[in-house]
């Protein structure tokens, strides 16, 4: 069979675009409307998506409460409870949630995800994050963010304990640097062997952790070159851990804006971009970069040099490179960046969007994509109605599910 | 309106009786069958129960894995994910889960319960436990159980932070002995003001914490005198915290075995009791009492004196008192105790069961009951089909829900 792409749908309250909540068609209280999420998950399932995916942070999303109230996800369900509810209102689609290795214990987290996996008949996945935001740290009694390397060392051990616990009866305890766990879980092994392990860290140490333990990697790649370089690099690291390249599915984020004609798509896009206030754009860019004084620089001047922080190393590199490449002012960069939150944006007709996805998929830049609709439900509907059939016609995406578990959808081996 | 009793249904895999899994009608893999739980929750909802309730421990339930495999809840869903699923398959019944103050952080726990509360339209409750089992401690890197007083001091501060966070925008941070939390949650206030706070600790310090913070108290009281003494004591402590007696609903556990005739009920009960192996009974009694060497004593001799431990103080006092009162041997006590796990058992006709409940309810021993059916679904069905209509005829229990939130069912004030 021809290789087919994997598709995830990013669920994010009113929509992924930073100004989605200001869109005239937006559902402003979507973040706590379970019927809204059920509808989105069922739409993605009807389109045969591999999974829905929830990002997460245990805290307000932005340091500045005023700014937080002006973004499209200032409130919303805790994602594991959300996905547990979706588990019994869907039947085939995978359910992936983010959870932090810094503010959880491996026993509790392994148990909750395995419970979700059992609830859903083998459709759960865990997106491992180490939590780079000092905003979250302040809600967990930490006096500051732990150094990047320490967070990743804890994450590595955390993942080892969790995957051990997921192996069931063959778990014989763990006594390590950060964690000590004695008993197996009080749950049998997953119908898919173990929940799917997702990662998104793009730093050097993050890539190594992914090469060692991940089944799926989410990533942000604006250009084809970045996407290919990342793909090549990550797959190349896997042999060192005795794994084959196909054991990880690399799924970059894509923020598509699609309409029947290119002009219509452009118009939809502009309509959203114009809704981004400058202060929100700059504040968001500052928050993404973990720097607090970006507002001090002239908004129409160039980006300043960034000091090295313990936050998002890979994200900072991405932004600085982009500002140099395109010669963008802070205002331009903020607006460009804020809209799609740093992800690849494709604006066009169904055929144009499919062309772009196909090129990256076939050109060694991706095994699939994490679709980030600008606003819900409109842009998810548009992608499912317009782009998915086009991908299916080209033989690039399934017309029916062939398995019942997330691992089966993704074509992943069951863990031994 | 006449005062009416509150009813909770205790959800526990194959059933509350320790040998339920051996019953010929038992559903052995019930603990991971979501359809089983949906059926139970809907049965309780159709009978207008106030809530379903899940006990929990983050670890195997018994220290001895061999024994664990012989009890009726060796495997099962993590309860918050379970209740999140039930939230979207029920519409009125309250959803209460146990969670530990020792192995969670207040920010994460407050957020998850508020998320469940939003998912369910204001039907969530948190049963606060401090986790007295060294089995759990060993899964969270602890070298031993913390002293009882320390656990409760942490629990008191934990509850303070959680209730603060549930107040939403008026939360201005917390900087205390065990916890420091900066931001409010990223969720709006609950439709019922805040999730319902449930507690079950019966020690002196546990009662004080309940008097200060609980909305509902679960308790184990074998005799009417114990029930009245506990009820009187707890309600008496509330004034010191500026609360009125009716601000807490005291709901002792009841393990009813009901049938059309008394002989039939007795026969059903005996059938279950005979399924308890002696070694399981003794091991379970040992585990409940946090003592490891009970098996060394002659099984037909009296209970030995118990050393004071950091585990379950109130539970130990209960068992020792019972053994003295009834002159029971270890074997007899183990069997008696193991069957209903230390709770009040009523065996009889619908009228007899209703009489007993009515007497305690009207005699100052309870505001309602936490019903613990021996095995599922049979004994929950029997209670709903036979006892609930009898209570309704007597005007002691609602025929319809009048509100939509758990607080409304329970007749509790919304927090300010």
């Amino acid at each position: 069979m021809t290789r087919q792409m994997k598709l995830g749908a990013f669920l994010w309250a009113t929509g992924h675009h930073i100004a989605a909540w200001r869109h005239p068609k937006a559902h402003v209280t979507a973040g706590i409307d379970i019927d809204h999420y059920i509808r989105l998950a069922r739409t993605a399932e009807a389109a045969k998506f591999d999974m829905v995916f929830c990002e997460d942070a245990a805290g307000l999303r932005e340091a500045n409460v005023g700014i937080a109230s002006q973004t499209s996800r200032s409130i919303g369900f805790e994602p594991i409870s959300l996905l547990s509810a979706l588990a019994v209102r869907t039947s085939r689609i995978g359910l992936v949630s983010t959870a932090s290795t810094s503010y959880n214990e491996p026993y509790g987290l392994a148990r909750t995800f395995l419970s979700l996996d059992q609830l859903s008949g083998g459709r759960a996945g865990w997106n491992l994050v180490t939590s780079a935001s000092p905003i979250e740290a302040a809600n967990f009694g930490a006096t500051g963010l732990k150094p990047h390397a320490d967070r990743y060392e804890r994450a590595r051990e955390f993942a080892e304990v969790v995957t051990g616990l997921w192996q069931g009866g063959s778990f014989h305890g763990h006594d390590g640097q950060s964690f000590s766990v004695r008993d197996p879980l009080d749950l049998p092994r997953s119908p898919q062997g173990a929940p799917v392990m997702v990662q998104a860290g793009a730093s050097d140490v993050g890539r190594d952790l992914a090469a060692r333990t991940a089944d799926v990697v989410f990533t942000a790649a604006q250009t084809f070159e970045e996407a290919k370089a990342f793909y090549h690099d990550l797959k190349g690291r896997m042999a060192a851990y005795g794994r084959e390249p196909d054991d990880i599915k690399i799924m970059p984020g894509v923020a598509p804006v699609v309409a029947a004609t290119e002009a219509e798509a452009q118009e939809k896009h502009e309509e959203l971009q114009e809704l981004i206030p400058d202060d929100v754009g700059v504040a968001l860019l500052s928050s993404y970069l973990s720097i607090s004084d970006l507002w001090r620089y002239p908004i129409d001047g160039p980006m300043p040099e960034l000091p090295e922080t313990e936050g998002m190393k890979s994200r900072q590199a991405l932004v600085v490179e982009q500002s140099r490449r395109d010669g963008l002012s802070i205002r331009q960069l903020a607006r460009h960046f804020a809209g799609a939150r740093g992800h690849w944006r494709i604006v066009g007709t169904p055929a144009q969007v499919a062309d772009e996805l196909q090129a990256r998929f076939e050109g060694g830049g991706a095994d699939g994509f994490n679709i980030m609709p600008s606003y819900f439900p409109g842009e998810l509907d548009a992608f499912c109605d317009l782009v998915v059939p086009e991908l299916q016609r080209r033989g690039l995406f399934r017309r029916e599910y062939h398995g019942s578990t997330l691992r089966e959808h993704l074509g992943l081996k069951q863990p031994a």
Side-chain angles (χ1 to χ4, degrees), chain A:
Chain A
M1 199 176 84
T2 325
R3 175 173 167 257
Q4 291 190 319
M5 61 177 68
K6 310 302 170 193
L7 291 180
F10 186 92
L11 299 188
W12 181 275
T14 50
H16 185 257
H17 192 281
I18 192 67
W21 69 284
R22 302 184 71 194
H23 190 277
K25 290 185 188 152
H27 174 11
V28 178
T29 57
I32 52 160
D33 179 351
I34 182 61
D35 292 326
H36 168 77
Y37 280 104
I38 291 169
R39 182 193 188 292
L40 300 184
R42 287 182 167 178
T43 299
E45 187 169 72
K48 318 299 176 196
F49 270 57
D50 293 83
M51 62 182 119
V52 294
F53 167 66
C54 294
E55 197 173 81
D56 192 45
L60 296 173
R61 301 311 161 111
E62 318 300 340
N64 181 325
V65 175
I67 297 298
S69 69
Q70 296 186 57
T71 69
S72 67
R73 206 282 195 198
S74 52
I75 58 164
F77 296 121
E78 179 278 331
I80 301 179
S81 48
L82 170 61
L83 293 182
S84 302
L86 295 182
V88 293
R89 301 297 292 268
T90 56
S91 58
R92 301 295 279 277
I93 197 163
L95 306 163
V96 179
S97 174
T98 301
S100 170
T101 55
S102 293
Y103 309 121
N104 287 292
E105 286 276 334
Y107 195 90
L109 185 138
R111 183 172 175 238
T112 302
F113 274 96
L114 187 51
S115 184
L116 174 62
D117 210 19
Q118 293 286 356
L119 270 172
S120 60
R123 297 186 282 135
W126 169 36
N127 178 38
L128 178 162
V129 297
T130 70
S131 301
S133 162
I135 299 162
E136 290 178 87
N139 294 330
F140 291 84
T143 48
L145 202 54
K146 292 234 172 62
H148 188 270
D150 293 5
R151 290 206 314 276
Y152 268 91
E153 179 46 31
R154 180 182 160 106
R156 189 202 55 71
E157 189 185 336
F158 197 115
E160 185 185 322
V161 180
V162 168
T163 49
L165 285 165
W166 285 343
Q167 277 164 23
S170 66
F171 177 79
H172 295 296
H174 171 96
D175 193 2
Q177 190 69 28
S178 301
F179 308 108
S180 123
V181 173
R182 196 184 61 185
D183 297 327
L185 295 172
D186 57 346
L187 281 160
R189 276 194 78 166
S190 157
Q192 59 175 341
V196 167
M197 179 80 92
V198 182
Q199 286 174 47
S203 66
D204 190 60
V205 60
R207 292 179 195 206
D208 268 334
L209 182 62
R212 183 202 283 247
T213 61
D215 299 309
V216 170
V217 170
F218 291 152
T219 167
Q222 300 256 353
T223 67
F224 201 168
E225 288 62 41
E226 281 171 73
K228 278 193 288 193
F230 178 84
Y231 190 96
H232 183 76
D233 176 87
L234 185 63
K235 300 260 176 171
R237 290 173 193 243
M238 296 174 66
Y241 302 105
R243 305 183 70 199
E244 294 177 28
D246 208 37
D247 292 346
I248 292 183
K249 307 299 173 187
I250 298 181
M251 301 175 67
V254 182
V257 182
V258 62
T261 68
E262 193 175 343
E264 231 181 298
Q266 288 292 355
E267 194 181 330
K268 279 211 291 188
H269 181 230
E270 275 314 306
E271 189 184 3
L272 275 163
Q273 290 296 93
E274 278 167 20
L275 296 173
I276 307 172
D278 282 339
D279 61 337
V280 170
V282 172
L284 205 69
L285 187 59
S286 308
S287 164
Y288 273 118
L289 301 176
S290 301
I291 50 175
S292 55
D293 62 350
L294 194 57
W295 61 272
R296 292 180 191 276
Y297 296 86
I299 193 165
D300 290 313
M303 277 292 289
E305 288 298 312
L306 296 179
E308 180 139 317
T309 75
E310 288 301 337
M312 293 283 190
K313 288 202 175 184
S314 51
R315 191 174 267 178
Q316 288 180 356
L318 195 80
V319 171
V320 170
E321 180 181 320
Q322 183 168 12
S323 91
R324 287 181 186 149
R325 190 179 61 225
D326 301 342
L328 299 175
S329 69
I330 291 176
R331 188 199 305 268
Q332 290 169 314
L333 191 66
R335 198 151 163 168
H336 176 84
F337 191 81
R341 300 172 195 259
H343 283 279
W344 180 32
R345 188 168 6 206
I346 315 176
V347 182
T349 64
Q352 286 172 325
V353 173
D355 285 348
E356 295 263 9
L357 297 179
Q358 182 168 8
R360 288 210 186 177
F361 174 66
E362 293 180 343
D367 296 311
F369 301 95
N370 196 17
I371 306 300
M372 299 165 154
S374 309
Y375 65 91
F376 289 120
E379 284 299 303
L380 177 63
D381 291 346
F383 188 87
C384 292
D385 292 345
L386 302 174
V387 182
V388 168
E390 179 65 29
L391 295 172
Q392 289 169 333
R393 265 192 297 277
R394 299 181 187 192
L396 292 168
F397 190 60
R398 70 171 69 83
R399 289 177 185 274
E400 293 299 337
Y401 290 112
H402 296 294
S404 63
T405 69
L406 177 54
R407 261 178 210 283
E408 286 169 330
H409 302 339
L410 292 169
L412 292 167
K413 296 173 192 151
Q414 284 217 4

